[in-house]
């Protein structure tokens, strides 16, 4: 077998893509670094939704350093589309947009309440004249001392809130950045 | 038929049958719509996906496929997943800010209660030795350290 020209046995070294497509996995196979031989389901999903040739076209267009992220995001989208053939990832986006709108509404109400509380507190400190150093012992002036920095919002949630847990840290952006995605619901 | 073909059949240079799966959702006057989904998914895959769905949801499916394809064209690395990730980040930041403000509100309420309780003792002589019994600072929760 070794003497046959061009023959390369299809062994466990074939990537998942070449296994599924039943072709020879060459050393420079585009899929091999991202679809290991034990990831057949992952490639099957991506192939079912996008098609192998479209995936290879997408991968060729992106820099090599970003191909792993590209494959992972394609796998995520394929999974979402197979799970929800009508809405796919757009369903998740719509749900998150809705949650964001509710949170912004809650935040606006909370800020308004805080402003009212501060006004009441300021009025209370002004009208209090000969009271013992009860208030003075709490803070030296009418402004509140700085709040400690909590490491995670989970601490606060446990004590005061019943909001859902969050997993990501990130920068501040407005939801208005996503003009291309209409509010579906 | 030269005229009346949908965008998909025009693109594929074929006859557009009366029961073409694409024609209700990819009209000829919007060729870019089909071009986007064809580039990312391939016309065949789109047709298969639409065939597997009931009629009444096919339009929505075509719309979301188009949106996802557009996201992928604009951001080839992350596509829609980039938007989902950003939304999660925004939600986390907003939840943290909301929790912080709710903490401040709770503290204000506590302080207001203490002000009201403290004002009840204004009738006592300020120099009275009995004031030593009311050393509030030691009894307040340690909010600020």
């Amino acid at each position: 077998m070794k003497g046959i020209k061009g023959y390369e046995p299809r062994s466990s070294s074939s990537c998942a893509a070449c296994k599924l497509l039943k072709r020879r996995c060459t050393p420079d196979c585009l899929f091999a670094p991202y679809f290991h031989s034990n990831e057949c389901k992952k490639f099957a999903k991506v192939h079912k939704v996008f098609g192998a040739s479209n995936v290879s076209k997408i991968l060729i267009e992106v820099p090599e350093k970003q191909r792993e992220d590209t494959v992972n995001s394609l796998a995520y989208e394929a999974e979402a589309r197979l799970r929800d053939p009508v809405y796919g990832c757009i369903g998740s986006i719509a749900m998150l947009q809705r949650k964001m709108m509710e949170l912004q509404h809650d935040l606006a109400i909370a800020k308004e309440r805080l402003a009212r509380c501060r006004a009441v507190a300021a009025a209370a400190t002004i009208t209090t004249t000969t009271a013992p150093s009860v208030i003075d012992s709490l803070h030296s002036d009418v402004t509140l001392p700085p709040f400690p920095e909590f490491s995670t919002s989970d601490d606060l949630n446990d004590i005061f809130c019943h909001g859902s847990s969050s997993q990501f840290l990130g920068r501040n952006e407005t939801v208005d950045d996503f003009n291309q995605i209409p509010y579906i619901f | 038929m030269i005229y009346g073909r949908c965008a998909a059949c025009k693109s594929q240079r074929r006859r557009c049958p009366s029961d073409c799966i694409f024609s209700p959702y990819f009209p000829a006057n919007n060729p870019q719509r089909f071009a986007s989904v064809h580039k990312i998914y391939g016309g065949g895959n789109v047709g298969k996906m639409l065939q597997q769905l009931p009629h009444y949801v096919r339009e929505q499916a075509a719309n979301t496929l188009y949106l996802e394809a557009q996201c992928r064209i604009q951001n080839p690395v992350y596509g829609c997943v980039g938007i989902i990730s950003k939304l999660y980040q925004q939600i986390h930041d907003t939840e943290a800010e909301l929790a912080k403000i709710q903490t401040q509100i709770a503290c204000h309420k506590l302080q207001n209660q203490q002000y009201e309780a403290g004002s009840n003792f204004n009738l006592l002589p300020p120099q009275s030795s009995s004031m030593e019994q009311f050393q509030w600072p030691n009894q307040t929760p340690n909010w600020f350290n």
Side-chain angles (χ1 to χ4, degrees), chain A residues 69 73 86 113 166 168 173, chain B residues 64 77-78 90 92 95 109:
Chain A
D69 284 349
S73 68
V86 180
R113 278 185 70 192
S166 304
F168 300 94
E173 285 185 34
Chain B
T64 58
V77 179
Y78 296 107
Q90 278 196 0
H92 170 85
E95 282 181 338
K109 281 186 176 169

Side-chain angles (χ1 to χ4, degrees), chain A residues 147 160, chain B residues 102-112 143-144:
Chain A
F147 273 82
F160 297 106
Chain B
Q102 285 171 336
T103 306
Q104 293 178 2
I105 290 170
C107 288
H108 272 290
K109 281 186 176 169
L110 183 66
Q111 283 187 341
N112 290 343
W143 291 111
F144 305 115

Side-chain angles (χ1 to χ4, degrees), chain A residues 47-51 54 58 61-62 66 69-70 73-74 76-77 81 85-90 92-93 96-97 99-100 103-104 106-107 110-111 113-114 117-118 120-121 124-125 130-132 134-135 137-139 144-145 147-149 153 156-157 160-161 164-175 178 180-182 184, chain B residues 37-43 45-46 49 52-53 57 60-72 74 76-109 111-112 114-115 118-119 121-122 126 131 134 136-137 140 143-145:
Chain A
H47 178 51
K48 184 165 177 155
V49 174
F50 295 98
N54 291 328
I58 292 171
E61 279 178 12
V62 302
Q66 294 182 301
D69 284 349
T70 306
S73 68
L74 286 169
Y76 184 98
E77 276 192 41
R81 181 58 63 173
V86 180
Y87 295 106
C89 271
I90 302 296
S92 304
I93 291 174
L96 291 170
Q97 281 180 336
K99 181 163 185 181
M100 190 63 203
L103 274 173
Q104 285 178 331
D106 291 345
L107 187 64
K111 282 182 175 174
R113 278 185 70 192
L114 180 62
C117 285
R118 282 180 171 161
V120 166
T125 53
T130 59
V134 169
I135 296 165
S137 64
L138 293 175
H139 53 84
L144 290 172
F147 273 82
E149 289 297 319
S153 64
L156 299 173
N157 284 336
F160 297 106
C161 314
S164 58
S165 62
S166 304
Q167 299 171 6
F168 300 94
L169 295 173
R171 55 214 148 109
N172 289 321
E173 285 185 34
T174 63
V175 74
F178 311 128
Q180 65 207 25
I181 303 292
I184 296 173
Chain B
V37 298
H38 179 60
K39 180 176 172 148
I40 300 301
Y41 297 102
N45 283 340
V46 173
M49 284 192 256
Q52 287 167 4
L53 294 171
V57 294
Q60 198 63 280
N63 290 340
T64 58
L65 284 168
Y66 170 61
L67 283 172
E68 281 191 35
Q70 281 292 98
C71 288
R72 183 58 65 173
Q74 289 173 17
V77 179
Y78 296 107
C80 275
V81 177
I83 294 176
I84 290 172
S85 177
K86 284 183 187 176
L87 279 168
Y88 269 121
Q89 287 170 356
Q90 278 196 0
I91 285 170
H92 170 85
D93 293 343
T94 307
E95 282 181 338
E97 193 182 349
L98 181 63
K100 195 172 178 182
I101 290 176
Q102 285 171 336
T103 306
Q104 293 178 2
I105 290 170
C107 288
H108 272 290
K109 281 186 176 169
Q111 283 187 341
N112 290 343
Q114 288 173 340
Y115 288 153
S119 67
F121 296 98
N122 286 344
M131 281 300 294
F134 307 104
W136 289 92
T140 56
W143 291 111
F144 305 115
N145 291 311

